[in-house]
Amino acid sequence: MAIERTFSMIKPDATRRNLTGAITAMLEEAGLRVVASKRVWMSRREAEGFYAVHKERPFFDELCEFMSSGPTVVQVLEGENAIAKNREVMGATNPADAADGTIRKVHARSIGENSVHGSDAPATAAQEIKYWFSDIEVVG
Ligand code: GDP
């Protein structure tokens, strides 16, 4: 299995509840390594740019409002099969559907305030890492 990098965010509902360490520990316990991390309070414009792929979706405004409502921790995670592994430990988008032991099952509040983001494919991982980090900020 190849070593991959993926992009992760700890969303404002989680930073507000002081869950940065608890969530990072769950990622690390799943075998993922944090190779870049910073806390950002994204602007509405940055949220709209990051989530541009969802701009026609009915929840787009709510999503961008939420993501710019407080601090977020943006991270690059590295490990074997990191993209799929991160999606697995995150759990389903809606915490009501998430498997036991996943981050969203344990910590998320709703389908909108669902605590974490993770890239869904290699191309989006590369694009999302580049959106938030320069090459010298990622240290494996
Ligand atoms: P993910 O890959 O599991 O994060 O899910 P998606 O790519 O489908 O959606 C991106 C993000 O949009 C989700 O993580 C949610 O924060 C948000 N989202 C998705 N569906 C809804 C919804 O029905 N209502 C609201 N408010 N937000 C949603």
Side-chain angles (χ1 to χ4, degrees), residues 71-140:
T72 288
V73 177
V74 294
Q75 296 178 321
V76 180
L77 307 177
E78 188 177 85
E80 275 192 13
N81 215 9
I83 295 168
K85 189 172 281 180
N86 184 38
R87 300 282 301 180
E88 194 183 318
V89 70
M90 285 164 57
T93 309
N94 188 342
D97 303 328
D100 284 348
T102 60
I103 294 170
R104 284 168 166 168
K105 181 69 171 191
V106 174
H107 293 299
R109 304 171 73 96
S110 66
I111 192 168
E113 300 200 1
N114 61 1
S115 302
V116 281
H117 164 88
S119 309
D120 60 3
T124 42
Q127 185 189 331
E128 291 176 356
I129 290 169
K130 204 166 170 199
Y131 193 86
W132 292 109
F133 291 99
S134 66
D135 286 349
I136 59 165
E137 290 178 298
V138 184
V139 182

Side-chain angles (χ1 to χ4, degrees), residues 48 51-58 60:
E48 287 171 0
Y51 280 114
V53 67
H54 292 310
K55 67 176 182 295
E56 306 304 332
R57 310 276 289 271
F60 182 68

Side-chain angles (χ1 to χ4, degrees), residues 12-13 16 41-42 63-72 113:
D13 67 284
R16 210 170 275 140
W41 191 323
M42 70 180 76
L63 173 61
C64 295
E65 187 65 32
F66 165 59
M67 291 303 296
S68 56
S69 70
T72 288
E113 300 200 1

Side-chain angles (χ1 to χ4, degrees), residues 15-27:
T15 61
R16 210 170 275 140
R17 288 176 288 146
N18 206 22
L19 293 171
T20 299
I23 289 174
T24 302
M26 291 173 84
L27 297 169

